Amino acid sequence: MGDQRHSTIKEGLLAGLIGGLLVAAWYLAFDVGRGAPLYTPNVLGQVFVGDTMPTRQIVPQAVFQYTLLHFGFFFVLGIALTALTHLATRNPALRMGVWIGLVVGFLFFLGLLRTLSSLTDERFPLWASVGGSLLGIGSMGFYLWRRHPGLRGTFDDAALGDEVKPPPHPPGASHADRR
């Protein structure tokens, strides 16, 4: 698999499917555990069509619409992560940028989850969505990590961050220290 070309679209769709299915299973298990199967996609589906105070009654159309949105989002995310993985495999100097992008993107997503949680009057628990998100992104990352041994090999050659060159003079050093 070392020199083999990977299709970004196919591989990204599969990564997105893996992440989307695991998050859907997480929410289903969470909802069944609290005695309300399909409650989370129902609440989110109602919010995404504009209902700021979703009902507890399951609305099949809301569940279906949210499911389409959920998997559409994961497919796009999977393709984007796969494209970034391919770039970082070809150019190890991009690894740090990919990592920073993932962290910033995840923090942005946490803000969105917090907004959804407060918008639904806590009907959409923040801790459950954070757990599901970590499971989804973690599974996609693990799939891509296993699929790209060339990327794994770059960490044997140089640790993450080694591509960032230190400044010629340490910040805060006095002029006398530089001689």
Side-chain angles (χ1 to χ4, degrees):
M1 228 188 284
D3 206 314
Q4 176 186 0
R5 301 301 257 176
H6 298 281
S7 166
T8 300
I9 301 296
K10 287 180 187 176
E11 193 173 14
L13 289 174
L14 184 55
L17 181 64
I18 290 168
L21 284 173
L22 280 173
V23 172
W26 167 266
Y27 285 138
L28 182 62
F30 177 75
D31 291 344
V32 166
R34 65 180 178 173
L38 301 178
Y39 180 76
T40 299
N42 179 58
V43 166
L44 291 173
Q46 289 179 47
V47 167
F48 286 122
V49 295
D51 186 359
T52 58
M53 289 309 289
T55 65
R56 296 188 184 276
Q57 179 182 355
I58 301 296
V59 179
Q61 182 180 359
V63 172
F64 178 73
Q65 288 174 337
Y66 174 73
T67 301
L68 288 178
L69 180 68
H70 172 86
F71 280 103
F73 171 77
F74 272 97
F75 288 148
V76 169
L77 180 61
I79 291 169
L81 285 176
T82 302
L84 290 173
T85 300
H86 289 174
L87 284 172
T89 300
R90 288 191 297 270
N91 185 357
L94 295 175
R95 296 175 309 158
M96 190 64 167
V98 170
W99 177 249
I100 290 170
L102 286 174
V103 169
V104 169
F106 189 72
L107 291 174
F108 173 78
F109 191 66
L110 286 179
L112 174 66
L113 293 176
R114 175 68 183 119
T115 301
L116 286 173
S117 181
S118 63
L119 185 65
T120 61
D121 198 27
E122 304 296 324
R123 289 187 176 108
F124 178 64
L126 183 60
W127 71 269
S129 56
V130 170
S133 299
L134 288 172
L135 184 64
I137 196 77
S139 65
M140 294 167 70
F142 181 73
Y143 167 74
L144 291 171
W145 181 258
R146 296 287 299 157
R147 184 108 167 104
H148 293 275
L151 181 62
R152 290 194 314 267
T154 65
F155 287 93
D156 294 336
D157 299 336
L160 184 64
D162 277 357
E163 57 271 1
V164 179
K165 301 291 183 220
H169 304 288
S174 69
H175 183 66
D177 292 340
R178 292 185 198 153
R179 288 188 211 169

